[in-house]
Amino acid sequence: MHIVLGLIGLLVAIGGIAWRINMAMRGAEIVKDAAETAVNLPRKMRFQAKANRQRLSSVEDPREAAAILLLGMARAGGEVTAQHKQTIRTEMERVFEVNAATSEELLSRAAWFSANVADPVDLVPRMTDFLARRVGPEEMQNMSAMLSVIARVEGEPAHDQSLYLHRFCQRAGLN
């Protein structure tokens, strides 16, 4: 009987040792994964920055660029509200002479194009230059007026919205 108990004790000891080795291997794997993540973080950040730049570089339609600028103006004031979105759609329908479905699509694409842009003011130079190459001075004046409308959706424009409009007008040569 004592031999059976000795064998059971030996098996339990071997099982305990195997379990501890398994847990140590799992811990080492977690540490290895964390180290790989830390090593790859700069590369990942460069890739994301490049992807964001390329996302904005894929804008081909002046209406998309205008929608990005309009949405950027709303974001410059803080949280984009349903009232902002509705006003943007209404302005696009009025000025671009498009239907509701097209204005909704333009707004959705603008949100996708600019989703990873941290500061909306960063959108101004690229999108304004894009527009200036494709439309005339009258359209740029219309864009300035549309931006002013969006800035005043919730009352007086916020400081960042005033700065946004000023940078647009400066870049567009409207000052």
Side-chain angles (χ1 to χ4, degrees):
M1 184 68 170
H2 66 282
I3 295 175
V4 173
L5 288 176
L7 286 175
I8 291 174
L10 182 64
L11 289 176
V12 168
I14 291 172
I17 292 171
W19 179 78
R20 288 202 172 231
I21 290 172
N22 185 25
M23 293 306 291
M25 288 174 48
R26 284 187 186 173
E29 191 173 307
I30 290 170
V31 169
K32 178 186 145 237
D33 289 345
E36 285 176 355
T37 301
V39 167
N40 288 330
L41 188 61
R43 183 182 57 79
K44 181 180 176 183
M45 297 296 283
R46 283 192 308 272
F47 174 79
Q48 286 177 339
K50 185 178 179 183
N52 290 342
R53 283 193 305 271
Q54 288 176 344
R55 184 181 283 194
L56 286 173
S57 296
S58 65
V59 174
E60 296 177 352
D61 184 353
R63 296 177 307 170
E64 288 176 343
I68 291 168
L69 284 169
L70 293 169
L71 189 58
M73 175 60 85
R75 285 184 177 156
E79 191 69 29
V80 179
T81 64
Q83 189 177 5
H84 280 115
K85 290 178 183 178
Q86 183 55 46
T87 305
I88 292 170
R89 285 191 294 268
T90 302
E91 284 295 300
M92 287 191 296
E93 290 168 21
R94 181 181 64 80
V95 175
F96 303 158
E97 298 175 355
V98 296
N99 61 24
T102 303
S103 69
E104 182 63 39
E105 181 182 339
L106 286 169
L107 184 58
S108 296
R109 289 183 56 78
W112 181 80
F113 281 126
S114 63
N116 295 327
V117 176
D119 186 3
V121 177
D122 293 341
L123 296 167
V124 174
R126 175 176 271 167
M127 293 298 107
T128 303
D129 291 349
F130 177 87
L131 276 177
R133 289 190 304 269
R134 287 168 176 76
V135 301
E138 184 180 332
E139 287 85 2
M140 293 304 276
Q141 286 287 348
N142 288 342
M143 188 67 215
S144 177
M146 292 170 73
L147 288 169
S148 294
V149 169
I150 301 306
R152 288 177 171 70
V153 164
E154 295 182 338
E156 285 300 308
H159 174 18
D160 288 344
Q161 289 176 314
S162 297
L163 176 65
Y164 190 97
L165 184 59
H166 176 72
R167 286 199 179 157
F168 172 80
C169 291
Q170 212 174 21
R171 193 78 179 201
L174 299 176
N175 286 347

